[in-house]
Amino acid sequence: MSITLTSSQEQFIQTKLETGKYRSAQEVLEVALRLLDEYDQGDREWSESVRVKIDAAVAVSEHTPPIDGETFIVGILDRFRQARESQQ
């Protein structure tokens, strides 16, 4: 595979090499690709976690009577107030 880097990408790699932490441009790119893979994995795990929580909330909502918006907001504000009072 052959890739073409922009001048700013080349400068970035050169700057990393000048620190002495990396022995070659290939090593810099290997680290960058590994970090990208870790980032993507974390993103997939987060998305899956959110999907599971949404599915659980939908399942609960199917067995819970509806609540109007004002009652819902008042309940949240009450919980915040109670939490604040318990910290004092």
Side-chain angles (χ1 to χ4, degrees):
M1 174 185 297
S2 174
I3 61 171
T4 303
L5 300 175
T6 65
S7 60
S8 63
Q9 291 168 333
E10 287 180 11
Q11 182 59 46
F12 176 82
I13 292 171
Q14 189 59 41
T15 300
K16 294 298 178 186
L17 292 171
E18 289 169 2
T19 67
K21 185 175 179 180
Y22 305 97
R23 294 178 302 239
S24 67
Q26 181 176 340
E27 186 178 2
V28 173
L29 293 173
E30 286 171 356
V31 170
L33 292 172
R34 183 170 26 86
L35 290 172
L36 177 61
D37 189 44
E38 289 174 13
Y39 174 83
D40 287 346
Q41 178 64 29
D43 190 47
R44 282 189 298 275
E45 290 170 0
W46 179 85
S47 294
E48 177 63 19
S49 171
V50 169
R51 188 193 61 74
V52 167
K53 290 174 184 175
I54 290 172
D55 289 347
V58 168
V60 167
S61 72
E62 292 172 352
H63 305 290
T64 305
I67 186 170
D68 68 274
E70 185 176 344
T71 303
F72 179 75
I73 296 299
V74 168
I76 290 173
L77 293 174
D78 282 344
R79 281 187 248 158
F80 283 146
R81 189 188 80 256
Q82 291 170 1
R84 189 174 351 136
E85 289 172 357
S86 69
Q87 292 177 352
Q88 296 175 354

